[in-house]
Amino acid sequence: MEQPLIQTRELSRVYQKDGTVGVAALTGVSVVIRRGEFVALVGASGSGKSTLMNLLGCLDRPTSGSVVLDGQEVSRLDEDELAEVRSRKVGFVFQSFNLLPRTSALENVELPLLYTDRPDLAGPARAALEVVGFPADRFDHHPGELSGGQQQRVAIARALVNDPEILFADEPTGNLDSTASDEIMALFTELNRQGRTVVVVTHDAEVARHAHRVLTMQDGRIVSDTAAVAAEPGPPAEEVVS
């Protein structure tokens, strides 16, 4: 059987409040995510879904338990080692886009490449923007000149530019209208169809329906692991530009 892309064992995360009181955000989470899966983490605010994503994506370290990413135990790595793993293996997309406002779309996508030894930054950045269906005549536009859907496409291209093993998206449609939301989820579906592993954190049942699996979280635990109800197919990703 193929080695899982991600495997956790008894994963827990406790945050200190006021320096003394421990607040358990995750308790004893064990989960396996295989290559090529499309997984939705759902649950109410405070259920632990974003905390779990941060641990799976090497943005944080657990209080106890283990995270194995592509065969490597990452839960005890230091900050520099975690950053190196993130640069090779992981891409992130967030609700607020996190684009530099005074930087063009193309330059925003180039940013992760600044930490590599690639001599050509613009070439891979243009290719990533083309993959997500971003219009070429807007490559030099700043985020404030773009729609929400276009800004999220730039953010997804930036997450893809280093060709990561897995994409994590935290409420990626939270700042979008329903049309742009459908288009962005069609894009994630297409990226997954092409072989990319995708994990989406969402409170939106319609977004979760695009996934293969839905992990429902409550009080820092996974309380169910089910196959998603198939959504109606959206428009092809390359044909939707918001």
Side-chain angles (χ1 to χ4, degrees), residues 106 109 122-136 139 152-164 167 183-184 186-196 235-241:
L106 182 65
V109 178
R126 289 192 186 96
L129 284 166
E130 291 168 359
V131 165
V132 302
F134 188 80
F139 280 12
Q152 194 60 293
R153 287 177 188 273
V154 174
I156 295 170
R158 183 182 57 193
L160 289 172
V161 74
N162 273 333
D163 193 26
L167 278 180
E183 293 172 353
I184 290 301
L187 175 55
F188 278 118
T189 298
E190 178 60 24
L191 291 170
N192 174 250
R193 187 178 296 119
Q194 294 171 3
R196 195 83 56 177
E238 63 272 13
E239 296 180 7
V240 289
V241 178

Side-chain angles (χ1 to χ4, degrees), residues 49-122:
K49 56 188 187 295
S50 290
T51 299
L52 179 57
M53 185 202 77
N54 289 342
L55 294 174
L56 299 181
C58 300
L59 288 174
D60 194 11
R61 287 175 291 183
T63 303
S64 62
S66 68
V67 181
V68 178
L69 173 59
D70 199 18
Q72 180 182 10
E73 169 64 66
V74 297
S75 48
R76 296 295 175 261
L77 298 181
D78 64 27
E79 293 299 328
D80 289 341
E81 291 169 329
L82 286 175
E84 198 274 333
V85 171
R86 287 195 302 269
S87 71
R88 292 185 294 105
K89 299 288 185 181
V90 180
F92 291 97
V93 180
F94 298 98
Q95 176 177 343
S96 57
F97 316 137
N98 291 354
L99 302 178
L100 297 183
R102 297 184 181 181
T103 303
S104 72
L106 182 65
E107 291 166 336
N108 266 284
V109 178
E110 289 175 354
L111 288 174
L113 300 175
L114 295 175
Y115 304 97
T116 71
D117 57 0
R118 297 188 189 187
D120 175 26
L121 304 186

Side-chain angles (χ1 to χ4, degrees), residues 19 83 87 91 128 133 156 165 178 180 186 206:
S87 71
I156 295 170
E165 291 276 343
S178 59
E206 290 302 309

